[in-house]
Amino acid sequence: MSSLAAVQERISAAEIRAGRTEGSTHLLAISKLQPLDRILRVLDHGHREFGENRVQEAQQKWPELQERYPEIDVHLVGPLQTNKVRSAMQLFAAIHSVDRIKLLTRIDTVAQELGHCPRLFIQVNTGEEPQKSGVIPDELDTLVNQARRLNLPLEGLMCIPPSHEAPALHFGLLTNLAKRHGLRGLSMGMSGDFETAIHLGATYIRVGSAVFGVRPR
Ligand SMILES: *Cc1c(COP(=O)(O)O)cnc(C)c1O
């Protein structure tokens, strides 16, 4: 059985245990730094939802594959610089790393030029770690309000828990924040903790190494 099939089985089992509808969790296969043959294998198994953490790396990889497999959706899960917003919006179906007003302003400008906008997730720094991107929970209100004022397609929230803490605490916090703001999208859970994330309501899990194997350095 492929790693993809094994992950899909674990997702279904976790959904059933949590009393959720089977298939209600989207699996983003995080393909950053993975060799092309591994990506093709996952595509040939019929998987179509992928995630990348760098705009430039994704640009070099996905437009060509999208010509062969037109239904591919690629999501940006890594940090976004203002000067890359246009290329990001042309490539990605969703951006999971919105974390400042300036980015929303730029996204709004480009959305008006392009006539479309990817679905957006606000990244929340739930552990309030200084080195990590994301808004701190206290500043989330401002960002949500601004996204709504600009009429942008805000789908939900995203977090990456601190590596040394129980992820469930952070997933629970993110779930509560999303509820409070009436947002239904929750992007949380990676290879080591996606079952916990599903239990706490994830709509998108971002799984790299469990699907593709360990990333080559
Ligand atoms: C790399 C990455 C993942 C996937 O990590 P794995 O541990 O390989 O599953 C998920 N989310 C983000 C933001 C990442 O950069």
Side-chain angles (χ1 to χ4, degrees):
M1 187 166 54
S2 74
S3 311
L4 175 68
V7 168
Q8 286 167 331
E9 279 199 5
R10 286 170 61 191
I11 292 170
S12 297
E15 287 171 337
I16 292 167
R17 279 199 305 277
R20 296 182 47 177
T21 309
E22 263 189 275
S24 57
T25 315
H26 290 262
L27 167 62
L28 287 181
I30 307 298
S31 46
K32 63 181 184 208
L33 302 176
Q34 294 288 353
L36 187 61
D37 64 309
R38 292 187 186 174
I39 296 173
L40 287 171
R41 216 176 303 144
V42 167
L43 279 165
D44 287 337
H45 272 94
H47 195 76
R48 294 294 181 265
E49 293 190 295
F50 294 84
E52 290 282 345
N53 75 331
R54 288 168 169 276
V55 178
Q56 203 177 340
E57 184 186 341
Q59 274 179 316
Q60 288 162 359
K61 204 184 299 182
W62 287 104
E64 206 176 312
L65 289 168
Q66 280 172 320
E67 280 181 22
R68 283 158 67 185
Y69 304 87
E71 334 78 81
I72 290 174
D73 269 348
V74 189
H75 293 214
L76 179 65
V77 301
L80 179 56
Q81 293 166 320
T82 323
N83 64 0
K84 297 255 173 70
V85 165
R86 182 189 307 276
S87 22
M89 288 175 65
Q90 286 167 329
L91 177 59
F92 296 107
I95 296 172
H96 292 233
S97 49
V98 176
D99 64 356
R100 54 200 192 279
I101 293 282
K102 199 174 157 202
L103 204 47
L104 284 175
T105 309
R106 180 70 188 145
I107 288 172
D108 178 53
T109 305
V110 177
Q112 293 186 30
E113 289 170 25
L114 298 177
H116 72 88
C117 185
R119 292 177 284 131
L120 304 177
F121 290 77
I122 295 174
Q123 182 173 351
V124 184
N125 185 353
T126 55
E128 307 198 21
E129 297 171 282
Q131 82 284 7
K132 213 169 244 177
S133 17
V135 280
I136 59 167
D138 277 352
E139 286 167 7
L140 179 59
D141 265 35
T142 314
L143 232 67
V144 170
N145 291 340
Q146 182 64 1
R148 292 204 162 127
R149 203 172 299 135
L150 295 172
N151 218 4
L152 295 171
L154 180 61
E155 174 154 337
L157 305 179
M158 179 270 227
C159 77
I160 307 172
S163 47
H164 53 280
E165 286 179 27
L169 294 174
H170 297 271
F171 298 157
L173 172 58
L174 199 72
T175 303
N176 287 337
L177 290 169
K179 265 198 201 117
R180 192 186 303 165
H181 289 284
L183 293 165
R184 51 172 203 85
L186 284 166
S187 167
M188 57 190 199
M190 317 197 334
S191 290
D193 54 22
F194 67 84
E195 281 135 325
T196 307
I198 291 170
H199 188 73
L200 290 164
T203 60
Y204 280 91
I205 56 172
R206 310 179 307 266
V207 183
S209 41
V211 167
F212 294 104
V214 175
R215 279 181 288 279
R217 307 221 56 201

